[in-house]
Amino acid sequence: MNAIHMFGSEDQRTQWLPAMARGEKLGCFGLTEPNHGSNPGGMETRAIKTPDGYDLTGSKMWIGGGVLADVAVVWAKLNGKVTGFLVEKGTKGFSAPEMHGKHSLRASVTSELVLEDVRLPADAVLPEVASLRGPLSCLNEARFGIAFGAIGAARDCLETAIAYSIDREQFVLHYQPKVDIASGRITGMEALVRWEHPERGMVPPMAFLSVARRSGLMGDLSLVVAQQAIADAKAWHSHGLALSVAINLAPSELLSGTILPRIYAAIEEAGIPASSITIEVTEDSFLADPERARDVLLEVRRQGLKTSIDDYGTGFSSLAYLRDLPVTELKMDRSFVATVHTDERSRLIVASTIDMAHALDLNVVAEGVESSAVATEVVALGADLLQGYYMSAPMPAAQVEAWAR
């Protein structure tokens, strides 16, 4: 089941997924409720933390295959956050009576899930998510299975190809320079992943990144990118080129607790200054768990790395997180930068953002600078660094040293 694959612990995946793949075990997905349907915001099923685990109380309706399932993924509110739990068949207080009289295009039986003071052990919780993202992403997966069978099959092939290519090091990095306005020098590079497919040539990131995120492969891919970027930075430093390198991390990777320690270890092994690596995150990194995001970024800064908010202005921007989060840089989204010289509203947004960022002692990168007119305008407004095709398109690592000198 996708919920266990995406959000379960390693022990949960090992216990259930191989048997499910062989058809020896069945699972069901318990989200829909009698009074609120599949709206997680109105969820009435509740979980309470106990000294040795959790207590679940509530009910789910119109659940496909519930009466046959060996385990149910049940979504409940725990301290106000939507949390997933694995409830095994036969657990005391849990039942899945069959429902009759409901017309459905599905071949499976339809069930109700009844939870009456169900006591679960501490390891029954799905540890990798505690927000609406959990059930909603699973619903998206279900829609692929139900309504888009052909697309789902094609995506499965793409997922397999991505995993295969990660193992065989077919993903490469190109770098786009950041130009310091005050000195006119290249001071940093952003690492951008490309897929060097043996038959289709260079595949752009928009063709595979979203699939990698949805399929749980983003962690492996991000680690490959980070390790290669650090190795390239080491090579440049050894040749006297002290370039900083920016690495993008998706929200799930930022909060996972697994990739950042490996990045710290790679930096230490490379022997380069930690301050030469910048972790770029987007604004939605702070939505699911703002306190956790803040703690993670504080640790990133304690380790000596720099932090940047990418695509600033397109997400759920909040002045509170600019005040509270330990970031060192804002990257203005290209949608504002590209029209700064022709649209007065864009110009005002960019100007006010630059002024606010400088008041908070943050550097501002104008991203998406693709003409001299845009460059002239953002320089006049006080941006600190420029990035975009006007300066240079992304280039292979082998070309960086000659270009930067």
Side-chain angles (χ1 to χ4, degrees):
M1 293 178 64
N2 188 63
I4 300 175
H5 171 66
M6 290 185 67
F7 307 122
S9 67
E10 192 60 37
D11 287 343
Q12 290 168 342
R13 295 188 187 106
T14 300
Q15 178 182 358
W16 292 108
L17 295 183
M20 288 180 173
R22 294 191 298 265
E24 298 168 359
K25 297 289 186 181
L26 296 176
C28 68
F29 183 82
L31 174 64
T32 307
E33 296 194 348
N35 295 327
H36 299 281
S38 297
N39 173 21
M43 186 177 293
E44 296 179 1
T45 302
R46 291 291 187 269
I48 299 174
K49 187 74 175 72
T50 64
D52 56 352
Y54 303 90
D55 275 3
L56 262 66
T57 300
S59 64
K60 305 294 180 179
M61 299 287 283
W62 307 295
I63 307 302
V67 69
L68 303 174
D70 298 287
V71 64
V73 175
V74 175
W75 298 93
K77 282 193 174 178
L78 174 66
N79 298 326
K81 294 183 178 180
V82 177
T83 305
F85 297 89
L86 299 185
V87 184
E88 294 189 40
K89 186 176 184 178
T91 301
K92 185 178 179 180
F94 173 59
S95 60
E98 184 176 347
M99 298 180 66
H100 299 279
K102 180 179 183 292
H103 298 289
S104 175
L105 295 176
R106 301 181 185 179
S108 63
V109 294
T110 301
S111 309
E112 179 184 5
L113 303 185
V114 180
L115 303 111
E116 297 178 331
D117 193 25
V118 173
R119 297 181 181 274
L120 298 176
D123 60 3
V125 69
L126 296 177
E128 295 297 330
V129 69
S131 68
L132 294 178
R133 183 173 68 88
L136 293 181
S137 62
C138 291
L139 284 178
N140 286 337
E141 293 296 318
R143 292 187 180 104
F144 270 103
I146 296 170
F148 302 109
I151 296 176
R155 200 186 72 180
D156 183 70
C157 292
L158 181 55
E159 290 173 5
T160 301
I162 292 172
Y164 179 94
S165 298
I166 290 174
D167 291 340
R168 285 152 184 82
E169 299 181 355
Q170 292 178 0
F171 287 96
V172 299
L173 297 187
H174 284 196
Y175 292 91
Q176 188 168 45
K178 297 178 182 178
V179 178
D180 179 76
I181 293 173
S183 66
R185 296 181 60 82
I186 310 302
T187 58
M189 293 281 175
E190 181 179 1
L192 302 169
V193 66
R194 300 290 187 265
W195 186 359
E196 200 170 39
H197 195 279
E199 297 178 0
R200 299 183 179 275
M202 199 64 71
V203 181
M206 67 180 67
F208 61 86
L209 281 183
S210 61
V211 174
R213 289 191 185 99
R214 285 197 298 263
S215 61
L217 293 168
M218 201 63 198
D220 293 338
L221 182 56
S222 294
L223 183 60
V224 168
V225 168
Q227 291 174 332
Q228 184 58 56
I230 292 167
D232 289 338
K234 176 183 178 180
W236 297 328
H237 278 249
S238 69
H239 295 157
L241 197 59
L243 291 175
S244 65
V245 176
I247 301 168
N248 291 277
L249 287 187
S252 57
E253 278 61 66
L254 177 72
L255 302 180
S256 69
T258 57
I259 189 171
L260 282 171
R262 299 181 73 174
I263 290 176
Y264 304 149
I267 293 171
E268 183 175 1
E269 183 179 351
I272 60 174
S275 59
S276 65
I277 301 298
T278 299
I279 300 298
E280 290 193 8
V281 297
T282 53
E283 295 173 82
D284 55 356
S285 301
F286 317 122
L287 293 180
D289 194 342
E291 292 184 6
R292 168 72 175 148
R294 181 177 182 276
D295 290 344
V296 169
L297 290 182
L298 279 171
E299 180 59 25
V300 171
R301 296 292 293 126
R302 278 193 290 266
Q303 293 288 337
L305 287 73
K306 296 180 180 179
T307 52
S308 176
I309 298 178
D310 196 12
D311 300 333
Y312 180 78
T314 59
F316 294 86
S317 304
S318 169
L319 297 179
Y321 73 63
L322 286 182
R323 178 195 64 197
D324 298 334
L325 291 175
V327 296
T328 55
E329 178 183 270
L330 291 186
K331 295 187 73 175
M332 286 294 305
D333 185 72
R334 63 183 66 248
S335 62
F336 299 111
V337 173
T339 58
V340 69
H341 62 307
T342 58
D343 182 81
E344 182 62 20
R345 287 179 177 270
S346 292
R347 184 182 181 281
L348 290 173
I349 290 171
V350 172
S352 60
T353 300
I354 291 173
D355 290 343
M356 177 186 64
H358 286 167
L360 295 171
D361 198 27
L362 304 177
N363 285 331
V364 178
V365 180
E367 188 174 22
V369 177
E370 299 188 0
S371 70
S372 61
V374 170
T376 299
E377 190 64 35
V378 293
V379 167
L381 293 175
D384 301 292
L385 297 113
L386 302 181
Q387 180 180 347
Y389 276 74
Y390 177 63
M391 280 65 66
S392 172
M395 67 189 77
Q399 298 178 12
V400 167
E401 189 170 343
W403 196 92
R405 292 188 188 279

